[in-house]
Amino acid sequence: MEIRIIENDKKDFLDLLLLADEQENMIDKYLHRGELFALYDGGLKSVCVVTKEKDGEYELKNLATYKKYQGRGYGSSLVKYIFEYYKGKCKTMFVGTGDSPLTIPFYEHCGFKISHKVKNFFIINYDKPIFENGVQLIDMVYLRKDFSNV
């Protein structure tokens, strides 16, 4: 397994990024200013984008694994890698996700804790309704991981 930081041609990963954020213009708001990490294991399996929001605060904006490779630990490996990568410069890492029984437990398992919600985020910011596991996403749920080593 190898994780690479992608500095050029980030849009080449759009098919995978769209699995976690279904609207390209929303991805365009952060992709250019974020660091893109790609996990390879006999080919590309997973990606994530992390942005610096302010001094000591970063946000995991997009974490996606190809469907046929989900559940094999690639997403968790990527999260562990970025925690280590940002150690020393990150005081708090945030991640925003839909209020979903699929994603919230995953992020909690990775060490995040629920922080706050942004009401109607998906209704206001997306052109069409987004559904996950048959449930429409409405509010953005933010989780946070505080780093005590900074």
Side-chain angles (χ1 to χ4, degrees):
M1 190 168 13
E2 175 190 8
I3 296 173
R4 299 180 202 155
I5 298 173
I6 308 301
E7 296 181 11
N8 300 307
D9 302 318
K10 294 178 185 179
K11 285 281 226 165
D12 289 351
F13 297 83
L14 188 61
D15 66 324
L16 191 47
L17 293 166
L18 285 166
L19 293 178
D21 194 343
E22 297 180 18
Q23 198 165 293
E24 186 174 351
N25 72 327
M26 293 297 284
I27 294 169
D28 289 341
K29 290 180 180 182
Y30 57 80
L31 185 60
H32 69 283
R33 66 184 182 92
E35 288 190 280
L36 176 64
F37 298 85
L39 184 150
Y40 294 85
D41 188 16
L44 179 65
K45 301 295 190 271
S46 191
V47 296
C48 72
V49 178
V50 177
T51 59
K52 182 177 183 180
E53 297 304 313
K54 52 181 144 174
D55 265 358
E57 287 188 7
Y58 292 79
E59 185 173 340
L60 174 56
K61 291 280 196 182
N62 189 314
L63 173 63
T65 300
Y66 284 119
K67 288 186 192 294
K68 67 182 179 178
Y69 301 117
Q70 290 176 1
R72 297 185 187 183
Y74 292 121
S76 297
S77 293
L78 211 39
V79 170
K80 285 178 192 162
Y81 181 87
I82 65 165
F83 284 172
E84 193 61 32
Y85 181 85
Y86 286 99
K87 188 165 64 172
K89 56 184 164 183
C90 180
K91 292 179 184 171
T92 306
M93 176 81 63
F94 288 94
V95 62
T97 188
D99 194 357
S100 164
L102 296 177
T103 54
I104 291 175
F106 168 79
Y107 287 118
E108 288 175 328
H109 175 76
C110 290
F112 287 93
K113 295 181 191 281
I114 292 179
S115 173
H116 63 282
K117 285 186 180 187
V118 177
K119 290 280 189 198
N120 298 317
F121 179 88
F122 291 98
I123 304 285
I124 294 167
N125 291 288
Y126 286 81
D127 295 339
K128 61 182 181 175
I130 296 176
F131 291 87
E132 189 169 296
N133 207 27
V135 176
Q136 183 177 356
L137 302 182
I138 296 172
D139 300 332
M140 174 80 82
V141 177
Y142 275 93
L143 296 94
R144 69 186 288 152
K145 165 110 170 111
D146 294 312
F147 293 79
S148 58
N149 59 346
V150 178

